[in-house]
Amino acid sequence: ILVIEFHREVLKKIAITDPLTGLLNRDGFDEQIKSAIQDTPDAHCVGIQTDIDDFKFINDMYGHEAGDTALRILAQSMRNAFEKDAILCRNGGDEFSAVLIGMTEAEAKEKIEKFTMQPRYITQNGEKRPFYISLGYAEYPKDCDDVSELIRCADMALYAVKMRGKNGCMAYREGCLLYTSPSPRDGATSRM
C-alpha cells in the first residue's frame, strides 16, 4: 500500500508539473491557487502574467534549443525573485503566471520591477544574446472580486505593455490600455 501511495504521489506531481521548467503547469497552478485561497480567503495576493518578448524570433534565429534555454532561465529567475509563498506556473509556450500570496500591489511593486529589468541572456555560438520580458500584474481584491479574474486582469496589463513597445511592466488599472509602460532599455522605470 505504501508503494502504491508513493507511485500515486509521483504520478500526481508529474501530471501537474511542466517538464521543461519544473514549474507547475496550468492544472497544478489552478489547483494550488484554489487551495491557497481556501486556506486564507481574506488574504491579498498579486497575480502576474509574463512572457518573453519576440520569443518566436529567438526560436527562428537561434533554434528551439536556445528558446528552451530562455524558458528555463526565465523559470529559474522567477524562483529566485519571488518568495516561497509564490505559486509559479508555465502556462505553455513562453507564457508564465505567478500569484504572490499575502502581498499587496504596493508591497510587490519594487520586487516585480526589479524582476522585469533583470538582465537575461542565452549563449549562442559563444556570444551572450540578451532577451527581454514583458509583465502585467494585478491585485486581489483591489482589482477584482474573484481570484479567478486575477490572472485575466494581469493579462490585460501585460497586453498594454506589449501595445506600448514591450520590455516593461505595469499594474492593472481599469482601462489600462490608456496607460504607458516605459521601457527599462530607455532608462526609465517600468511603471505607468
Side-chain angles (χ1 to χ4, degrees):
I1 293 177
L2 291 176
V3 172
I4 292 171
E5 188 60 35
F6 172 76
H7 287 291
R8 186 184 334 240
E9 289 300 315
V10 169
L11 290 174
K12 180 176 180 174
K13 183 172 172 118
I14 290 170
I16 63 171
T17 302
D18 173 58
L20 180 66
T21 64
L23 298 180
L24 293 170
N25 63 24
R26 188 58 195 236
D27 288 340
F29 183 69
D30 291 342
E31 181 181 307
Q32 286 207 8
I33 289 173
K34 184 178 177 183
S35 175
I37 297 308
Q38 286 176 347
D39 293 345
T40 54
D42 297 328
H44 286 256
C45 55
V46 175
I48 295 171
Q49 190 74 349
T50 188
D51 67 20
I52 297 173
D53 295 335
D54 305 312
F55 184 66
K56 183 177 181 338
F57 174 81
I58 293 171
N59 278 331
D60 291 348
M61 188 70 168
Y62 306 121
H64 290 279
E65 187 176 317
D68 288 351
T69 298
L71 294 170
R72 285 191 291 269
I73 289 169
L74 179 54
Q76 188 58 51
S77 69
M78 289 177 75
R79 283 187 200 93
N80 295 342
F82 303 116
E83 282 96 26
K84 60 181 178 169
D85 291 336
I87 302 170
L88 307 175
C89 163
R90 176 179 175 218
N91 290 321
D94 67 323
E95 294 182 6
F96 291 78
S97 299
V99 173
L100 311 180
I101 305 294
M103 292 189 86
T104 65
E105 177 189 313
E107 293 167 334
K109 177 182 181 278
E110 184 178 334
K111 183 181 300 257
I112 289 171
E113 288 178 351
K114 182 178 177 183
F115 169 76
T116 303
M117 295 186 299
Q118 173 186 0
R120 294 176 182 86
Y121 301 92
I122 55 172
T123 302
Q124 185 67 25
N125 296 327
E127 291 185 41
K128 288 173 74 171
R129 310 268 185 200
F131 69 93
Y132 305 95
I133 65 169
S134 294
L135 184 148
Y137 59 104
E139 180 188 340
Y140 169 82
K142 182 176 77 68
D143 297 322
C144 55
D145 296 329
D146 188 332
V147 174
S148 65
E149 291 293 306
L150 186 61
I151 295 301
R152 185 190 62 78
C153 292
D155 199 44
M156 289 176 65
L158 170 62
Y159 183 72
V161 173
K162 294 290 192 179
M163 295 299 295
R164 303 291 183 214
K166 305 177 186 175
N167 187 221
C169 69
M170 70 181 291
Y172 172 82
R173 295 289 178 267
E174 193 67 39
C176 66
L177 295 180
L178 302 175
Y179 295 93
T180 61
S181 176
S183 169
R185 282 186 273 188
D186 297 334
T189 64
S190 54
R191 177 73 174 165
M192 348 166 251

